Amino acid sequence: MLVKVFGAAVQGIDAKLITIEVNCSRGIRFLLVGLPDASVKESHERIVSALQVNGLKFPRQQVVINMSPADIRKEGSAYDLPLAVGILAASGSIESSRLNRYLLMGELSLDGSILPLKGALPMALMAKENGFKGFLLPAENAKEAAVVKGLDIYGVHTIREVVDFFNGDHTIPPTVVDIERELNQNRPLFEFDFSEVKGQENVKRALEVAAAGSHNVIMVGAPGAGKSMMAKRMPSILPAFTFEEALETTKIHSVAGMTDLNKSLMTHRPFRSPHHTISNVAMVGGGASPQPGEISLAHNGVLFLDELPEFNRGVLEVMRQPLEDRKITVSRARYTVNYPASFMMVAAMNPCPCGYYNHPARECVCSPGAVHSYLNKVSGPLLDRIDIQVEIVPVSFENMSNEIPAERSAEIRARVIKAREIQSRRFRKEKEKGIFCNAQMRASTLRKYAVPDERGLKLLRTAMERRSLSGRAYDRILKVSRTIADLEGCNHIEPHHIAEAINYRNLDSDTWAR
Protein backbone atom coordinates (compact mmCIF):
# COMPACT_ATOMS: atom_id res chain seq x y z
CA MET A 1 0.00 0.00 0.00
CA LEU A 2 1.32 3.42 -0.97
CA VAL A 3 0.71 6.45 1.29
CA LYS A 4 2.04 10.00 1.44
CA VAL A 5 2.87 12.02 4.54
CA PHE A 6 4.31 15.49 4.71
CA GLY A 7 7.28 17.02 6.51
CA ALA A 8 9.51 20.08 6.10
CA ALA A 9 13.14 20.99 5.44
CA VAL A 10 14.56 24.29 6.68
CA GLN A 11 16.68 26.25 4.23
CA GLY A 12 17.98 29.56 5.51
CA ILE A 13 15.16 30.82 7.72
CA ASP A 14 12.37 29.41 5.56
CA ALA A 15 10.96 25.91 5.26
CA LYS A 16 10.20 23.83 2.19
CA LEU A 17 7.61 21.09 1.88
CA ILE A 18 8.93 17.51 1.86
CA THR A 19 6.66 14.75 0.58
CA ILE A 20 7.41 11.34 2.11
CA GLU A 21 6.09 8.43 0.02
CA VAL A 22 5.97 5.04 1.74
CA ASN A 23 5.15 1.79 -0.01
CA CYS A 24 4.83 -1.58 1.73
CA SER A 25 4.96 -4.68 -0.49
CA ARG A 26 6.11 -8.30 -0.44
CA GLY A 27 9.71 -8.73 0.66
CA ILE A 28 11.96 -8.05 3.63
CA ARG A 29 14.08 -5.05 2.65
CA PHE A 30 14.07 -1.50 4.01
CA LEU A 31 15.01 1.17 1.46
CA LEU A 32 15.21 4.91 2.16
CA VAL A 33 15.95 7.20 -0.80
CA GLY A 34 15.69 10.90 -1.57
CA LEU A 35 19.10 12.26 -0.43
CA PRO A 36 18.83 11.53 3.32
CA ASP A 37 21.85 12.17 5.55
CA ALA A 38 23.24 9.74 8.13
CA SER A 39 20.89 10.84 10.94
CA VAL A 40 17.82 10.29 8.71
CA LYS A 41 19.08 6.84 7.71
CA GLU A 42 19.52 5.96 11.39
CA SER A 43 15.82 6.64 11.96
CA HIS A 44 15.08 2.96 11.17
CA GLU A 45 16.50 1.80 14.49
CA ARG A 46 14.77 4.54 16.48
CA ILE A 47 11.42 3.84 14.80
CA VAL A 48 11.63 0.08 15.38
CA SER A 49 12.34 0.53 19.09
CA ALA A 50 9.69 3.28 19.54
CA LEU A 51 6.99 1.11 17.94
CA GLN A 52 7.88 -1.99 19.95
CA VAL A 53 7.84 -0.15 23.29
CA ASN A 54 4.40 1.30 22.48
CA GLY A 55 2.83 -2.01 21.46
CA LEU A 56 2.99 -1.34 17.72
CA LYS A 57 4.55 -3.57 15.07
CA PHE A 58 7.05 -2.64 12.42
CA PRO A 59 5.76 -4.32 9.23
CA ARG A 60 7.49 -7.53 8.15
CA GLN A 61 7.39 -6.45 4.55
CA GLN A 62 9.54 -4.63 2.06
CA VAL A 63 9.37 -0.93 2.95
CA VAL A 64 10.43 1.62 0.33
CA ILE A 65 10.50 5.28 1.32
CA ASN A 66 11.10 8.19 -1.05
CA MET A 67 11.65 11.72 0.31
CA SER A 68 10.77 14.25 -2.37
CA PRO A 69 12.08 16.51 -3.83
CA ALA A 70 15.17 14.35 -4.09
CA ASP A 71 17.55 17.24 -4.88
CA ILE A 72 17.14 18.75 -1.38
CA ARG A 73 19.33 17.10 1.24
CA LYS A 74 17.27 15.86 4.21
CA GLU A 75 19.17 16.46 7.44
CA GLY A 76 18.45 15.84 11.11
CA SER A 77 16.42 13.44 13.19
CA ALA A 78 13.15 15.41 13.07
CA TYR A 79 11.90 13.23 10.19
CA ASP A 80 11.44 10.29 12.57
CA LEU A 81 7.76 11.07 13.23
CA PRO A 82 6.53 11.42 9.61
CA LEU A 83 8.56 8.35 8.60
CA ALA A 84 7.07 6.27 11.43
CA VAL A 85 3.52 7.44 10.69
CA GLY A 86 4.01 6.74 6.98
CA ILE A 87 5.25 3.21 7.68
CA LEU A 88 2.31 2.46 9.99
CA ALA A 89 -0.19 3.91 7.53
CA ALA A 90 1.27 1.93 4.59
CA SER A 91 1.04 -1.29 6.63
CA GLY A 92 -2.58 -0.57 7.64
CA SER A 93 -1.99 0.26 11.32
CA ILE A 94 -3.12 3.89 10.88
CA GLU A 95 -6.12 5.29 9.06
CA SER A 96 -4.54 7.21 6.15
CA SER A 97 -7.49 9.28 4.90
CA ARG A 98 -6.52 12.40 6.93
CA LEU A 99 -2.75 12.29 6.50
CA ASN A 100 -2.73 14.74 3.58
CA ARG A 101 -4.22 17.47 5.80
CA TYR A 102 -1.42 17.55 8.38
CA LEU A 103 2.27 18.33 8.55
CA LEU A 104 4.29 16.11 10.91
CA MET A 105 7.77 16.61 12.37
CA GLY A 106 9.57 15.35 15.47
CA GLU A 107 12.44 13.20 16.69
CA LEU A 108 11.62 9.85 18.33
CA SER A 109 13.44 8.52 21.35
CA LEU A 110 13.70 4.76 21.85
CA ASP A 111 10.69 4.74 24.20
CA GLY A 112 8.48 6.52 21.66
CA SER A 113 8.49 9.96 23.24
CA ILE A 114 8.80 12.89 20.83
CA LEU A 115 11.73 15.26 21.38
CA PRO A 116 11.95 19.00 20.53
CA LEU A 117 13.14 20.20 17.12
CA LYS A 118 14.63 23.29 15.51
CA GLY A 119 12.75 25.56 13.11
CA ALA A 120 9.19 24.97 14.31
CA LEU A 121 8.06 28.51 13.45
CA PRO A 122 9.17 28.57 9.79
CA MET A 123 7.69 25.08 9.37
CA ALA A 124 4.34 26.29 10.71
CA LEU A 125 4.39 29.32 8.39
CA MET A 126 5.10 27.03 5.43
CA ALA A 127 2.27 24.66 6.45
CA LYS A 128 -0.20 27.54 6.47
CA GLU A 129 1.00 28.78 3.07
CA ASN A 130 0.49 25.30 1.61
CA GLY A 131 -3.07 25.00 2.92
CA PHE A 132 -2.57 22.36 5.61
CA LYS A 133 -5.24 22.09 8.30
CA GLY A 134 -2.87 21.29 11.15
CA PHE A 135 0.69 20.63 12.30
CA LEU A 136 1.65 17.82 14.69
CA LEU A 137 4.97 18.47 16.42
CA PRO A 138 6.65 18.02 19.83
CA ALA A 139 4.67 19.55 22.69
CA GLU A 140 7.69 21.65 23.73
CA ASN A 141 7.58 23.49 20.38
CA ALA A 142 3.80 23.95 20.27
CA LYS A 143 3.70 27.48 21.74
CA GLU A 144 6.28 28.69 19.25
CA ALA A 145 4.34 27.35 16.26
CA ALA A 146 0.97 28.50 17.63
CA VAL A 147 1.69 32.16 16.79
CA VAL A 148 0.71 31.25 13.22
CA LYS A 149 -3.00 31.93 12.95
CA GLY A 150 -5.23 29.82 10.71
CA LEU A 151 -3.35 26.59 11.45
CA ASP A 152 -4.22 24.05 14.15
CA ILE A 153 -1.14 23.26 16.23
CA TYR A 154 -1.11 19.92 18.07
CA GLY A 155 1.64 19.36 20.61
CA VAL A 156 2.22 15.61 21.05
CA HIS A 157 4.32 13.72 23.60
CA THR A 158 4.48 10.15 22.24
CA ILE A 159 4.04 8.20 19.00
CA ARG A 160 1.03 6.46 20.59
CA GLU A 161 -0.80 9.82 20.83
CA VAL A 162 -0.26 10.40 17.11
CA VAL A 163 -1.49 6.92 16.16
CA ASP A 164 -4.62 7.30 18.31
CA PHE A 165 -5.21 10.80 16.87
CA PHE A 166 -5.34 9.59 13.26
CA ASN A 167 -7.37 6.49 14.19
CA GLY A 168 -9.91 8.68 15.98
CA ASP A 169 -9.29 7.10 19.38
CA HIS A 170 -7.82 10.22 20.99
CA THR A 171 -8.52 13.94 20.68
CA ILE A 172 -5.65 16.39 21.09
CA PRO A 173 -6.66 19.97 21.99
CA PRO A 174 -4.93 22.48 19.68
CA THR A 175 -2.49 24.89 21.31
CA VAL A 176 -3.75 28.48 21.33
CA VAL A 177 -1.59 31.54 22.04
CA ASP A 178 -2.76 35.09 22.71
CA ILE A 179 0.03 36.93 20.88
CA GLU A 180 -0.82 40.44 22.11
CA ARG A 181 -0.97 39.23 25.69
CA GLU A 182 2.33 37.36 25.30
CA LEU A 183 4.08 40.46 24.00
CA ASN A 184 2.65 42.71 26.70
CA GLN A 185 3.18 40.36 29.64
CA ASN A 186 6.72 39.38 28.72
CA ARG A 187 8.21 42.81 28.21
CA PRO A 188 11.86 42.56 29.24
CA LEU A 189 13.14 43.80 32.59
CA PHE A 190 16.60 45.17 31.96
CA GLU A 191 19.46 44.22 34.22
CA PHE A 192 21.47 47.32 33.32
CA ASP A 193 20.32 50.95 33.35
CA PHE A 194 21.91 54.19 32.18
CA SER A 195 21.20 55.74 35.57
CA GLU A 196 24.20 53.74 36.82
CA VAL A 197 26.57 55.54 34.42
CA LYS A 198 28.23 58.57 36.00
CA GLY A 199 29.13 61.46 33.70
CA GLN A 200 29.77 60.77 29.99
CA GLU A 201 26.80 62.89 28.97
CA ASN A 202 28.16 63.46 25.44
CA VAL A 203 28.54 59.70 24.90
CA LYS A 204 25.06 59.01 26.26
CA ARG A 205 23.74 61.60 23.82
CA ALA A 206 25.55 59.86 20.95
CA LEU A 207 24.11 56.49 21.96
CA GLU A 208 20.62 58.02 22.20
CA VAL A 209 20.97 59.32 18.64
CA ALA A 210 22.24 55.90 17.53
CA ALA A 211 19.25 54.13 19.14
CA ALA A 212 16.76 56.64 17.70
CA GLY A 213 17.89 56.01 14.12
CA SER A 214 19.41 52.51 14.45
CA HIS A 215 22.83 53.87 13.53
CA ASN A 216 26.09 51.97 13.88
CA VAL A 217 28.39 53.45 16.53
CA ILE A 218 31.99 53.04 17.67
CA MET A 219 33.41 54.25 20.99
CA VAL A 220 37.14 54.89 21.32
CA GLY A 221 38.63 55.46 24.76
CA ALA A 222 41.04 54.38 27.46
CA PRO A 223 40.51 51.22 29.55
CA GLY A 224 37.93 51.78 32.28
CA ALA A 225 36.32 54.79 30.58
CA GLY A 226 32.95 52.98 30.43
CA LYS A 227 32.72 51.72 26.82
CA SER A 228 31.51 48.20 27.61
CA MET A 229 29.38 49.47 30.48
CA MET A 230 27.39 51.76 28.20
CA ALA A 231 27.20 49.26 25.34
CA LYS A 232 25.53 46.70 27.62
CA ARG A 233 22.85 49.28 28.42
CA MET A 234 21.91 49.89 24.79
CA PRO A 235 19.01 47.37 24.79
CA SER A 236 17.40 49.30 27.66
CA ILE A 237 16.82 52.38 25.45
CA LEU A 238 15.66 50.59 22.29
CA PRO A 239 11.92 50.50 21.49
CA ALA A 240 9.97 47.29 22.06
CA PHE A 241 9.47 44.76 19.29
CA THR A 242 6.64 45.13 16.83
CA PHE A 243 4.88 41.84 16.02
CA GLU A 244 6.58 41.66 12.61
CA GLU A 245 10.02 42.19 14.15
CA ALA A 246 9.35 39.62 16.89
CA LEU A 247 8.17 37.06 14.32
CA GLU A 248 11.18 37.50 12.04
CA THR A 249 13.69 37.45 14.91
CA THR A 250 12.05 34.36 16.43
CA LYS A 251 12.31 32.57 13.07
CA ILE A 252 16.07 33.07 13.02
CA HIS A 253 16.57 31.91 16.60
CA SER A 254 14.19 29.00 16.02
CA VAL A 255 16.33 27.75 13.12
CA ALA A 256 19.41 28.05 15.35
CA GLY A 257 17.65 26.21 18.20
CA MET A 258 17.97 29.17 20.57
CA THR A 259 14.35 29.95 21.38
CA ASP A 260 12.85 29.77 24.86
CA LEU A 261 10.45 26.80 24.77
CA ASN A 262 8.29 28.47 27.44
CA LYS A 263 7.53 31.46 25.20
CA SER A 264 5.83 31.70 21.85
CA LEU A 265 7.77 34.74 20.60
CA MET A 266 10.95 36.57 21.52
CA THR A 267 9.95 39.69 23.44
CA HIS A 268 13.32 41.42 23.81
CA ARG A 269 15.76 42.59 21.19
CA PRO A 270 18.82 40.36 20.91
CA PHE A 271 22.17 41.54 22.26
CA ARG A 272 25.01 39.50 20.81
CA SER A 273 28.59 39.95 22.02
CA PRO A 274 30.91 37.46 20.26
CA HIS A 275 34.50 37.01 21.44
CA HIS A 276 37.22 38.42 19.19
CA THR A 277 38.46 34.88 18.37
CA ILE A 278 35.28 34.24 16.34
CA SER A 279 35.65 32.74 12.84
CA ASN A 280 34.28 34.10 9.56
CA VAL A 281 31.62 31.36 9.35
CA ALA A 282 30.47 31.88 12.94
CA MET A 283 30.11 35.61 12.25
CA VAL A 284 28.20 35.57 8.94
CA GLY A 285 26.70 32.05 8.95
CA GLY A 286 27.06 28.93 6.84
CA GLY A 287 28.93 25.74 7.65
CA ALA A 288 28.45 22.14 6.53
CA SER A 289 24.87 22.30 7.84
CA PRO A 290 24.06 25.99 7.26
CA GLN A 291 23.23 27.97 10.36
CA PRO A 292 22.72 31.71 10.90
CA GLY A 293 25.78 33.59 12.17
CA GLU A 294 26.11 36.25 14.84
CA ILE A 295 25.12 39.07 12.50
CA SER A 296 21.80 37.30 11.80
CA LEU A 297 21.23 36.31 15.44
CA ALA A 298 21.58 40.05 16.19
CA HIS A 299 18.89 40.90 13.60
CA ASN A 300 16.61 43.70 14.90
CA GLY A 301 18.95 44.04 17.89
CA VAL A 302 22.52 44.92 18.84
CA LEU A 303 25.82 43.34 17.81
CA PHE A 304 28.49 44.43 20.29
CA LEU A 305 32.10 44.05 19.17
CA ASP A 306 34.38 44.76 22.11
CA GLU A 307 38.11 45.32 21.47
CA LEU A 308 37.41 45.77 17.76
CA PRO A 309 41.07 45.77 16.52
CA GLU A 310 41.62 42.37 18.16
CA PHE A 311 39.16 40.69 15.79
CA ASN A 312 40.63 38.88 12.82
CA ARG A 313 40.90 41.28 9.89
CA GLY A 314 39.01 38.87 7.63
CA VAL A 315 36.11 38.61 10.09
CA LEU A 316 35.68 42.39 10.10
CA GLU A 317 35.93 42.68 6.34
CA VAL A 318 33.17 40.12 5.67
CA MET A 319 30.83 42.42 7.61
CA ARG A 320 31.19 45.31 5.16
CA GLN A 321 28.54 44.11 2.72
CA PRO A 322 25.95 43.11 5.40
CA LEU A 323 26.37 46.52 7.09
CA GLU A 324 25.38 48.13 3.80
CA ASP A 325 22.74 45.71 2.48
CA ARG A 326 21.36 44.49 5.86
CA LYS A 327 21.30 40.89 4.65
CA ILE A 328 23.85 38.18 3.93
CA THR A 329 23.89 35.64 1.11
CA VAL A 330 25.99 32.57 1.93
CA SER A 331 26.95 30.65 -1.22
CA ARG A 332 28.68 27.29 -1.08
CA ALA A 333 29.10 24.39 -3.53
CA ARG A 334 26.03 22.56 -2.19
CA TYR A 335 23.73 25.43 -1.22
CA THR A 336 22.92 29.13 -1.29
CA VAL A 337 20.99 30.61 1.64
CA ASN A 338 19.92 34.12 2.55
CA TYR A 339 19.84 35.40 6.12
CA PRO A 340 18.56 38.81 7.26
CA ALA A 341 21.18 40.91 9.05
CA SER A 342 19.61 44.26 9.93
CA PHE A 343 21.47 44.85 13.17
CA MET A 344 22.85 47.86 14.99
CA MET A 345 26.59 47.48 15.42
CA VAL A 346 28.09 48.90 18.61
CA ALA A 347 31.90 48.66 18.67
CA ALA A 348 34.46 49.61 21.30
CA MET A 349 38.22 49.92 21.12
CA ASN A 350 41.22 51.39 22.88
CA PRO A 351 42.95 54.26 21.06
CA CYS A 352 46.35 52.54 21.06
CA PRO A 353 48.11 49.34 22.24
CA CYS A 354 48.78 50.71 25.73
CA GLY A 355 45.32 52.29 25.84
CA TYR A 356 46.23 55.77 27.02
CA TYR A 357 46.58 57.89 23.88
CA ASN A 358 44.86 61.28 24.52
CA HIS A 359 44.38 60.37 28.20
CA PRO A 360 44.16 63.52 30.35
CA ALA A 361 46.21 62.10 33.24
CA ARG A 362 48.31 59.19 31.97
CA GLU A 363 51.03 59.29 29.35
CA CYS A 364 50.91 57.06 26.29
CA VAL A 365 54.02 54.86 26.14
CA CYS A 366 53.49 53.53 22.64
CA SER A 367 56.27 53.89 20.09
CA PRO A 368 55.99 56.47 17.27
CA GLY A 369 53.45 55.37 14.70
CA ALA A 370 51.99 52.66 16.96
CA VAL A 371 48.73 54.58 17.46
CA HIS A 372 48.18 54.93 13.75
CA SER A 373 49.11 51.27 13.14
CA TYR A 374 46.69 50.15 15.84
CA LEU A 375 43.83 52.10 14.28
CA ASN A 376 44.75 50.68 10.86
CA LYS A 377 43.83 47.21 12.14
CA VAL A 378 40.29 48.39 11.39
CA SER A 379 40.03 49.21 7.69
CA GLY A 380 38.94 52.60 6.42
CA PRO A 381 35.99 51.18 4.42
CA LEU A 382 34.62 49.55 7.59
CA LEU A 383 35.01 52.73 9.67
CA ASP A 384 33.32 54.64 6.84
CA ARG A 385 30.22 52.48 7.35
CA ILE A 386 29.95 53.43 11.02
CA ASP A 387 27.66 56.45 11.30
CA ILE A 388 28.69 57.65 14.77
CA GLN A 389 32.31 57.70 15.91
CA VAL A 390 32.78 59.09 19.41
CA GLU A 391 35.85 59.47 21.62
CA ILE A 392 35.50 58.79 25.34
CA VAL A 393 37.59 60.36 28.08
CA PRO A 394 37.70 58.93 31.62
CA VAL A 395 35.17 60.22 34.15
CA SER A 396 36.54 62.80 36.60
CA PHE A 397 36.52 62.17 40.34
CA GLU A 398 33.86 64.85 40.84
CA ASN A 399 31.47 63.10 38.45
CA MET A 400 32.33 59.67 39.83
CA SER A 401 31.57 60.68 43.43
CA ASN A 402 28.46 62.67 42.53
CA GLU A 403 25.45 61.20 44.36
CA ILE A 404 22.87 62.86 42.09
CA PRO A 405 21.25 60.03 40.06
CA ALA A 406 21.75 60.17 36.31
CA GLU A 407 18.94 60.03 33.79
CA ARG A 408 17.22 56.64 33.72
CA SER A 409 17.03 54.46 30.63
CA ALA A 410 13.23 54.72 30.63
CA GLU A 411 13.44 58.49 30.10
CA ILE A 412 15.90 58.12 27.23
CA ARG A 413 13.82 55.30 25.72
CA ALA A 414 10.72 57.53 25.72
CA ARG A 415 12.51 60.05 23.49
CA VAL A 416 13.84 57.27 21.26
CA ILE A 417 10.33 55.83 20.83
CA LYS A 418 8.94 59.24 19.82
CA ALA A 419 11.68 59.62 17.21
CA ARG A 420 11.03 56.09 15.90
CA GLU A 421 7.30 56.86 15.64
CA ILE A 422 8.10 59.87 13.47
CA GLN A 423 10.24 57.64 11.23
CA SER A 424 7.54 54.98 11.11
CA ARG A 425 5.05 57.53 9.77
CA ARG A 426 7.62 58.94 7.36
CA PHE A 427 8.54 55.58 5.85
CA ARG A 428 5.11 53.93 5.88
CA LYS A 429 5.19 53.87 2.05
CA GLU A 430 8.79 52.64 2.00
CA LYS A 431 8.32 49.50 4.11
CA GLU A 432 8.18 47.28 1.04
CA LYS A 433 11.72 48.48 0.25
CA GLY A 434 12.89 47.45 3.73
CA ILE A 435 13.15 51.01 5.08
CA PHE A 436 11.86 51.47 8.63
CA CYS A 437 14.32 53.93 10.19
CA ASN A 438 16.78 56.64 9.18
CA ALA A 439 19.86 54.40 9.07
CA GLN A 440 18.21 52.36 6.29
CA MET A 441 17.62 55.33 3.98
CA ARG A 442 18.95 55.05 0.44
CA ALA A 443 20.13 57.82 -1.88
CA SER A 444 16.63 58.47 -3.24
CA THR A 445 15.05 58.72 0.21
CA LEU A 446 17.90 60.92 1.46
CA ARG A 447 17.16 63.43 -1.28
CA LYS A 448 13.54 63.36 -0.25
CA TYR A 449 13.70 63.47 3.56
CA ALA A 450 17.19 64.73 4.53
CA VAL A 451 17.77 67.92 2.57
CA PRO A 452 19.75 70.60 4.47
CA ASP A 453 19.18 74.33 3.96
CA GLU A 454 21.82 76.65 2.46
CA ARG A 455 23.63 77.27 5.76
CA GLY A 456 23.65 73.57 6.60
CA LEU A 457 24.92 72.73 3.12
CA LYS A 458 27.73 75.28 3.46
CA LEU A 459 28.72 73.80 6.83
CA LEU A 460 28.70 70.31 5.36
CA ARG A 461 30.79 71.40 2.36
CA THR A 462 33.42 72.90 4.67
CA ALA A 463 33.61 69.68 6.71
CA MET A 464 33.88 67.55 3.57
CA GLU A 465 36.75 69.63 2.20
CA ARG A 466 38.71 70.00 5.43
CA ARG A 467 38.39 66.36 6.50
CA SER A 468 38.49 64.82 3.01
CA LEU A 469 35.31 62.88 3.74
CA SER A 470 33.97 60.23 1.35
CA GLY A 471 30.61 60.23 -0.37
CA ARG A 472 29.47 57.54 2.04
CA ALA A 473 30.43 59.75 5.01
CA TYR A 474 28.35 62.54 3.42
CA ASP A 475 25.30 60.27 3.36
CA ARG A 476 25.94 59.09 6.93
CA ILE A 477 26.10 62.66 8.22
CA LEU A 478 22.76 63.44 6.57
CA LYS A 479 21.16 60.30 8.07
CA VAL A 480 22.40 61.17 11.57
CA SER A 481 21.27 64.80 11.09
CA ARG A 482 17.79 63.57 10.19
CA THR A 483 17.69 61.50 13.39
CA ILE A 484 18.84 64.44 15.55
CA ALA A 485 16.09 66.55 14.00
CA ASP A 486 13.55 63.80 14.74
CA LEU A 487 14.62 63.74 18.40
CA GLU A 488 13.84 67.45 18.53
CA GLY A 489 10.61 67.03 16.57
CA CYS A 490 11.83 69.24 13.71
CA ASN A 491 10.52 68.73 10.20
CA HIS A 492 13.60 70.26 8.58
CA ILE A 493 17.30 69.71 9.15
CA GLU A 494 18.83 72.79 10.77
CA PRO A 495 22.53 73.79 10.72
CA HIS A 496 23.02 72.77 14.36
CA HIS A 497 21.77 69.28 13.50
CA ILE A 498 24.42 69.08 10.78
CA ALA A 499 27.08 70.40 13.17
CA GLU A 500 26.30 67.76 15.79
CA ALA A 501 26.35 65.00 13.19
CA ILE A 502 29.75 66.18 11.90
CA ASN A 503 31.11 66.06 15.45
CA TYR A 504 30.22 62.36 15.51
CA ARG A 505 32.85 61.67 12.83
CA ASN A 506 35.85 61.84 15.18
CA LEU A 507 37.91 59.17 13.44
CA ASP A 508 37.64 61.00 10.11
CA SER A 509 39.69 63.90 11.45
CA ASP A 510 43.14 64.31 9.89
CA THR A 511 44.59 65.16 13.29
CA TRP A 512 43.35 62.03 15.08
CA ALA A 513 46.07 59.45 15.77
CA ARG A 514 48.78 61.56 14.09
Side-chain angles (χ1 to χ4, degrees):
M1 179 180 178
L2 175 66
V3 299
K4 292 183 180 182
V5 294
F6 299 94
V10 175
Q11 291 191 324
I13 63 167
D14 297 311
K16 290 192 174 182
L17 183 65
I18 301 297
T19 302
I20 300 171
E21 302 170 307
V22 185
N23 185 31
C24 285
S25 58
R26 295 181 64 181
I28 56 173
R29 293 190 302 170
F30 179 84
L31 298 173
L32 178 59
V33 297
L35 208 59
D37 72 349
S39 59
V40 179
K41 293 177 181 177
E42 291 170 354
S43 64
H44 176 265
E45 283 69 29
R46 292 191 294 271
I47 292 171
V48 170
S49 175
L51 297 184
Q52 286 178 346
V53 171
N54 286 271
L56 302 165
K57 290 184 178 180
F58 194 92
R60 295 182 178 180
Q61 296 173 284
Q62 175 173 282
V63 178
V64 180
I65 302 174
N66 177 44
M67 305 179 76
S68 175
D71 60 341
I72 297 177
R73 188 164 184 81
K74 321 307 182 300
E75 298 177 324
S77 54
Y79 292 103
D80 290 357
L81 181 60
L83 289 173
V85 169
I87 291 169
L88 291 173
S91 63
S93 299
I94 288 182
E95 172 59 43
S96 61
S97 60
R98 294 194 297 157
L99 288 178
N100 62 345
R101 301 164 62 189
Y102 296 91
L103 191 77
L104 299 97
M105 289 296 284
E107 176 187 345
L108 289 176
S109 65
L110 296 183
D111 64 357
S113 58
I114 301 176
L115 306 178
L117 53 79
K118 296 180 181 179
L121 181 54
M123 291 177 187
L125 290 167
M126 182 276 296
K128 180 184 176 182
E129 290 172 3
N130 283 272
F132 285 95
K133 180 181 185 298
F135 181 16
L136 279 76
L137 76 168
E140 289 86 347
N141 298 109
K143 288 189 70 174
E144 177 187 324
V147 301
V148 180
K149 300 302 179 185
L151 182 73
D152 294 334
I153 302 298
Y154 300 99
V156 291
H157 297 87
T158 66
I159 183 67
R160 170 56 71 179
E161 282 185 53
V162 179
V163 172
D164 292 343
F165 173 80
F166 283 110
N167 286 336
D169 299 329
H170 177 61
T171 301
I172 304 173
T175 302
V176 179
V177 171
D178 187 336
I179 300 172
E180 188 173 344
R181 184 179 178 185
E182 282 269 322
L183 287 174
N184 291 331
Q185 284 189 347
N186 295 312
R187 293 299 184 193
L189 297 175
F190 299 104
E191 182 181 359
F192 305 109
D193 196 279
F194 269 102
S195 62
E196 300 160 348
V197 180
K198 300 290 186 180
Q200 304 291 16
E201 298 304 325
N202 63 320
V203 184
K204 291 180 187 177
R205 167 66 178 177
L207 295 179
E208 178 182 336
V209 173
S214 192
H215 300 288
N216 300 318
V217 59
I218 183 171
M219 296 176 283
V220 184
K227 303 184 295 294
S228 300
M229 182 182 188
M230 286 184 280
K232 290 177 181 178
R233 284 153 178 77
M234 279 300 293
S236 68
I237 64 172
L238 293 174
F241 267 144
T242 63
F243 173 70
E244 291 76 16
E245 288 175 329
L247 188 66
E248 190 173 29
T249 307
T250 304
K251 278 179 66 178
I252 299 170
H253 286 250
S254 175
V255 169
M258 295 183 178
T259 51
D260 185 347
L261 297 179
N262 295 317
K263 295 180 181 178
S264 57
L265 284 174
M266 291 181 64
T267 55
H268 61 280
R269 294 184 181 273
F271 180 86
R272 306 293 299 181
S273 180
H275 193 260
H276 60 256
T277 55
I278 189 172
S279 67
N280 292 19
V281 172
M283 182 64 84
V284 300
S289 298
Q291 288 286 298
E294 289 292 334
I295 62 173
S296 296
L297 294 172
H299 182 65
N300 289 324
V302 176
L303 178 69
F304 177 44
L305 303 181
D306 201 6
E307 305 297 343
L308 188 67
E310 303 304 323
F311 281 79
N312 183 285
R313 180 73 174 245
V315 172
L316 296 181
E317 294 309 297
V318 296
M319 292 177 58
R320 282 159 55 174
Q321 180 260 338
L323 282 171
E324 201 74 24
D325 297 342
R326 297 186 178 269
K327 63 181 180 180
I328 179 71
T329 300
V330 181
S331 297
R332 299 291 183 267
R334 292 196 297 111
Y335 63 82
T336 297
V337 295
N338 296 295
Y339 294 117
S342 182
F343 58 92
M344 192 174 96
M345 188 179 85
V346 179
M349 61 177 284
N350 294 328
C352 65
C354 79
Y356 295 105
Y357 176 77
N358 270 357
H359 194 281
R362 297 187 62 170
E363 184 178 353
C364 175
V365 297
C366 297
S367 60
V371 179
H372 187 59
S373 298
Y374 190 72
L375 180 62
N376 279 349
K377 288 185 176 182
V378 183
S379 69
L382 180 63
L383 286 175
D384 212 26
R385 287 168 166 81
I386 301 177
D387 305 0
I388 297 176
Q389 306 162 359
V390 58
E391 190 174 1
I392 300 178
V393 296
V395 181
S396 65
F397 176 79
E398 287 74 16
N399 282 328
M400 190 73 71
S401 59
N402 193 342
E403 295 298 328
I404 300 175
E407 189 175 32
R408 294 182 298 111
S409 290
E411 298 169 26
I412 302 173
R413 185 169 66 249
R415 296 194 295 268
V416 169
I417 290 172
K418 284 184 179 180
R420 286 286 186 104
E421 288 172 349
I422 292 172
Q423 293 165 51
S424 180
R425 292 193 295 270
R426 177 185 299 134
F427 300 125
R428 62 182 180 275
K429 295 181 180 179
E430 313 282 347
K431 288 185 177 181
E432 292 182 359
K433 301 177 183 178
I435 301 176
F436 301 92
C437 55
N438 290 334
Q440 298 169 339
M441 283 194 290
R442 302 170 185 171
S444 58
T445 44
L446 272 175
R447 291 193 295 269
K448 187 176 180 181
Y449 300 116
V451 181
D453 59 17
E454 275 191 35
R455 289 188 301 152
L457 201 59
K458 183 179 179 181
L459 185 64
L460 188 52
R461 182 185 296 111
T462 302
M464 293 283 295
E465 292 172 352
R466 289 184 179 178
R467 299 191 179 191
S468 301
L469 299 179
S470 67
R472 183 180 286 113
Y474 172 85
D475 287 349
R476 304 280 170 173
I477 289 172
L478 287 181
K479 291 177 183 180
V480 175
S481 301
R482 180 66 268 173
T483 300
I484 295 168
D486 290 341
L487 282 167
E488 293 184 6
C490 296
N491 292 326
H492 303 287
I493 296 177
E494 304 290 341
H496 69 277
H497 301 146
I498 296 282
E500 184 178 350
I502 291 171
N503 285 334
Y504 292 142
R505 303 293 300 185
N506 284 6
L507 301 186
D508 288 331
S509 174
D510 290 336
T511 60
W512 206 94
R514 293 293 191 274

